Amino acid sequence: MLRGIYTGASGMLAQQAKMDVVANNLANVDQTGFKKDTTILKAFPDMVMRRVNDDGLGVTPAGSYDSMPYVGKLGTGVEVNEVYTQFQQGALQKTENNLDLAIDGKGFFTVLTERGERYTRNGSFTLNQEGLLVTHDGYPVLGENGPIHLQQNNFMFGEQGEIKINDALTGDPKDPIGMNQNQWEQPGVLDKLKIVDFENTRELKKEGNSLYRSNEYTGPALAAESFKLNKGFVEKSNVSVVREMVDMIDIQRAYEANQKTIQTGDSTVGKLINEIIR
């Protein structure tokens, strides 16, 4: 009976952790570049049940045998094993802003924070007062040569992250996507966006605002190869609202089932103490 209470309690704690993850996914459904999290549960070791009324050993002329037959297994609870991020591609949304970029494929933009280099799929950038390409939180976006300095309407991005620039052209300030492609004559390459990938992206850790940090388990940052840069687009989150709502209902029902298990165990123990033992 007490074992049933502990088992039910572990189930409630596990479902509460799953609900927190689902709630966070729904809260960030409109966050550019957000990747959903998934909770993996792990069962405690099962207990082997045998019949205990027999003495456990039978003897015959040919030898001995086990007279405590195997009855089955009894679950002892569950715990959260891992919360991992699913990095499947999100849908691309057109913005027609020449500072909005979306990675189609594998890879992460690199930004410089006060804690060091961080990585993101959020390609919604802007220019600050110094002409530095930054995120909307003010973090500089890194190229292969460091922070990127630009002037409005004199640059364009290539499909592999090249930053092409022509100082002789200023473009049309009324043109929301910058220079018209046929206006460019022999543009030079200023730099290339530092777009990286990892051997084990599953181990990247979230830091909020669609930023990730690497660690010893991800391996070093490597130059991304299998991607295409889309100009004038941003990548939406890969969260499905319908899927998350269905998961939320399932979690709520599992939580209530574990709660009833505890109530039943508590009622049984109370009856044992108040009626049988007395």
Side-chain angles (χ1 to χ4, degrees):
M1 290 173 287
L2 291 177
R3 184 184 300 120
I5 292 176
Y6 289 127
T7 301
S10 71
M12 291 177 67
L13 292 173
Q15 297 304 323
Q16 182 178 351
K18 290 183 66 175
M19 182 66 79
D20 291 341
V21 171
V22 170
N24 184 64
N25 289 340
L26 289 173
N28 289 278
V29 66
D30 293 323
Q31 176 72 31
T32 303
F34 179 82
K35 301 300 180 183
K36 67 170 291 185
D37 290 325
T38 299
T39 307
I40 302 298
L41 302 182
K42 178 178 69 175
F44 294 143
D46 291 337
M47 294 183 63
V48 176
M49 299 181 65
R50 293 181 178 274
R51 230 166 58 199
V52 297
N53 291 332
D54 298 322
D55 59 10
L57 186 66
V59 180
T60 65
S64 62
Y65 64 93
D66 186 2
S67 64
M68 296 178 64
Y70 171 73
V71 176
K73 293 183 178 181
L74 177 66
T76 58
V78 68
E79 65 176 342
V80 176
N81 183 48
E82 180 186 9
V83 177
Y84 78 95
T85 303
Q86 296 186 8
F87 286 99
Q88 284 88 346
Q89 179 80 41
L92 301 186
Q93 181 179 23
K94 190 173 183 179
T95 65
E96 295 188 348
N97 185 337
N98 67 323
L99 291 175
D100 284 342
L101 302 171
I103 298 175
D104 186 2
K106 296 182 178 181
F108 299 84
F109 299 106
T110 306
V111 300
L112 184 62
T113 72
E114 62 275 7
R115 302 176 302 278
E117 290 188 359
R118 294 297 184 264
Y119 311 97
T120 182
R121 294 280 295 192
N122 185 349
S124 181
F125 303 136
T126 185
L127 292 179
N128 65 9
Q129 295 179 348
E130 290 76 29
L132 201 64
L133 186 67
V134 297
T135 68
H136 285 280
D137 294 317
Y139 298 130
V141 181
L142 295 182
E144 293 182 347
N145 300 320
I148 302 168
H149 292 269
L150 299 171
Q151 295 180 6
Q152 190 70 36
N153 295 325
N154 77 329
F155 65 91
M156 65 180 180
F157 294 98
E159 291 185 351
Q160 294 301 309
E162 321 95 275
I163 305 171
K164 302 176 182 180
I165 189 166
N166 191 331
D167 293 329
L169 298 176
T170 59
D172 182 1
K174 296 181 181 180
D175 183 1
I177 62 173
M179 296 297 297
N180 193 315
Q181 297 288 338
N182 57 21
Q183 290 181 288
W184 287 81
E185 297 179 1
Q186 298 179 346
V189 176
L190 173 69
D191 201 348
K192 186 177 182 180
L193 288 170
K194 188 177 180 181
I195 301 177
V196 301
D197 199 7
F198 299 88
E199 292 182 3
N200 191 3
T201 56
R202 179 168 175 164
E203 297 298 333
L204 286 171
K205 301 302 179 184
K206 287 185 174 180
E207 286 196 350
N209 295 325
S210 295
L211 294 179
Y212 300 88
R213 61 177 172 84
S214 61
N215 53 60
E216 64 216 78
Y217 303 108
T218 61
L222 306 172
E225 298 179 353
S226 303
F227 74 93
K228 174 185 175 183
L229 199 63
N230 292 274
K231 299 161 287 186
F233 289 82
V234 292
E235 182 184 4
K236 300 175 64 177
S237 72
N238 63 354
V239 177
S240 168
V241 176
V242 175
R243 179 70 262 172
E244 298 301 313
M245 293 300 295
V246 171
D247 289 345
M248 185 175 287
I249 294 172
D250 290 341
I251 292 169
Q252 182 66 28
R253 290 175 176 172
Y255 187 91
E256 292 175 352
N258 283 283
Q259 186 179 39
K260 290 180 179 179
T261 299
I262 294 177
Q263 292 173 344
T264 301
D266 180 66
S267 175
T268 304
V269 171
K271 183 176 293 187
L272 173 66
I273 295 173
N274 297 323
E275 298 181 12
I276 299 179
I277 296 180
R278 186 175 62 182

